[in-house]
Amino acid sequence: MVVLLQLPRFHASVFLTKPPSLCKTHFHLLLKPKIPITIKSTLSTISDPTQNLAIPEEETHVQVSLEKLFVPPETDVPSGSSTSSLSARILKGSNIVLAKYARDAQISQADFVKSSVRTEDCPSDGLPEFALVGRSNVGKSSLLNSLVRRKRLALTSKKPGKTQCINHFRINDSWYLVDLPGYGYAAAPQELRIDWEKFTKDYFLNRPTLVSVFLLIDASIPAKKIDLEYASWLGVNQIPMTLIFTKCDKRKKKKNGGKRTEENVNDFQELIRGFFQTAPPWIMTSSVTNQGRDEILLHMAQLRNYWLKH
């Protein structure tokens, strides 16, 4: 019998569930014995969830064990389901199962609303929001621009650390994308780095409309300690989180000791196992090729629609 259990917290319960007073979102994971399977990771052909989204035709074979799949809330996965029937519901380049709440995923309108330096100054209209955060120069603004298909909605710069406020972008007049300051930029003044850290963490802890944090990790390089520390902080404080692996279009030459992005993604997940009892949802992306764009929007849609219902 398939059992859906609440994801465990960092070394205890779950980092994907916040106290009821702060977040209405509860996530679940499909738990089964470690049986490696080859997932043909393609988007579901169900018309409702993927309407007007560009679905890649090619398939990517990703080795995923059933226990590491992210199964959204209220998703029925019957006991004894065949591998083929389940694989059709796995979002390409991820461990995320597509479910009934993945609707109205496309973006038709995106507008900058305001920049804030305090959580209490953020928009107060109660709309759900997703926060993008990551190490400086991880490609955060580029990913945001890719999601909305606008080149300069969010400022991109060759100089890291340009985002210094909590920036809200209203999507379809119904939800927000939030661009947060990058962390780990050594050239920034110490007092400024402290301020960024303080108001960003205050936002995570005290923003009741925050559905999930999307933590961006550079997949073109080996895992960084600061990224693991940031992920563990989110875990300890029970902040809902999805790992977004960026720059997956880049390839390193083996003869120079470099690793393929897929290897770095796998390595990071192995290191995460040292901090968390279960793997969080993750998606591989590239703002250059738009890899992962539709998968992120579908994932956001099912989290957002579940949050609105509950």
Side-chain angles (χ1 to χ4, degrees), residues 219-222 259-269:
S220 69
I221 60 176
K259 287 188 175 183
R260 298 182 62 190
T261 54
E262 293 86 352
E263 294 177 289
N264 287 329
V265 168
N266 289 332
D267 289 347
F268 191 92
Q269 292 180 72

Side-chain angles (χ1 to χ4, degrees), residues 98-168:
L98 189 68
K100 64 180 181 180
Y101 286 104
R103 59 182 182 272
D104 301 322
Q106 72 276 11
I107 292 179
S108 59
Q109 181 180 354
D111 300 291
F112 172 73
V113 176
K114 67 179 302 187
S115 295
S116 309
V117 294
R118 300 186 307 169
T119 303
E120 51 266 38
D121 295 331
C122 293
S124 57
D125 50 19
L127 296 179
E129 56 195 49
F130 296 89
L132 304 181
V133 68
R135 190 166 44 83
S136 293
N137 206 31
V138 73
K140 181 164 47 66
S141 295
S142 295
L143 177 63
L144 194 156
N145 290 333
S146 174
L147 289 176
V148 301
R149 296 194 187 280
R150 285 173 58 180
K151 293 183 178 180
R152 292 189 61 83
L153 180 69
L155 177 65
T156 57
S157 172
K158 292 183 179 180
K159 182 178 180 181
K162 295 298 291 185
T163 303
Q164 301 178 14
C165 299
I166 303 172
N167 298 308
H168 275 77

Side-chain angles (χ1 to χ4, degrees), residues 133-136 138 182-184 215-219 221-235 241 243-246 268 271-272 275-276:
V133 68
R135 190 166 44 83
S136 293
V138 73
Y183 56 85
L215 178 61
L216 277 60
I217 306 296
D218 188 345
I221 60 176
K224 295 286 187 179
K225 180 181 178 182
I226 191 172
D227 290 328
L228 297 172
E229 291 175 344
Y230 209 97
S232 68
W233 183 90
L234 291 171
M241 183 188 77
L243 291 172
I244 301 297
F245 292 101
T246 66
F268 191 92
L271 291 171
I272 283 292
F275 294 108
F276 305 96

Side-chain angles (χ1 to χ4, degrees), residues 54-240:
I55 309 301
E57 294 182 358
E58 63 274 11
E59 296 181 351
T60 298
H61 295 270
V62 181
Q63 201 70 18
V64 180
S65 60
L66 291 177
E67 69 166 5
K68 293 182 180 180
L69 292 179
F70 176 80
V71 179
E74 300 180 10
T75 301
D76 183 22
V77 181
S79 178
S81 296
S82 66
T83 299
S84 58
S85 63
L86 184 60
S87 65
R89 300 169 59 187
I90 306 298
L91 293 178
K92 183 180 178 180
S94 81
N95 67 335
I96 300 168
V97 175
L98 189 68
K100 64 180 181 180
Y101 286 104
R103 59 182 182 272
D104 301 322
Q106 72 276 11
I107 292 179
S108 59
Q109 181 180 354
D111 300 291
F112 172 73
V113 176
K114 67 179 302 187
S115 295
S116 309
V117 294
R118 300 186 307 169
T119 303
E120 51 266 38
D121 295 331
C122 293
S124 57
D125 50 19
L127 296 179
E129 56 195 49
F130 296 89
L132 304 181
V133 68
R135 190 166 44 83
S136 293
N137 206 31
V138 73
K140 181 164 47 66
S141 295
S142 295
L143 177 63
L144 194 156
N145 290 333
S146 174
L147 289 176
V148 301
R149 296 194 187 280
R150 285 173 58 180
K151 293 183 178 180
R152 292 189 61 83
L153 180 69
L155 177 65
T156 57
S157 172
K158 292 183 179 180
K159 182 178 180 181
K162 295 298 291 185
T163 303
Q164 301 178 14
C165 299
I166 303 172
N167 298 308
H168 275 77
F169 300 89
R170 187 164 52 236
I171 309 299
N172 299 344
D173 282 328
S174 60
W175 56 283
Y176 288 106
L177 279 173
V178 183
D179 189 13
L180 296 175
Y183 56 85
Y185 180 46
Q190 178 64 23
E191 63 274 13
L192 186 57
R193 295 205 304 271
I194 293 175
D195 286 344
W196 288 354
E197 178 177 320
K198 181 180 182 300
F199 78 68
T200 299
K201 289 184 176 180
D202 180 74
Y203 165 83
F204 290 147
L205 293 171
N206 299 297
R207 187 64 173 165
T209 54
L210 177 63
V211 177
S212 182
V213 174
F214 280 54
L215 178 61
L216 277 60
I217 306 296
D218 188 345
S220 69
I221 60 176
K224 295 286 187 179
K225 180 181 178 182
I226 191 172
D227 290 328
L228 297 172
E229 291 175 344
Y230 209 97
S232 68
W233 183 90
L234 291 171
V236 169
N237 290 278
Q238 301 182 343
I239 311 297

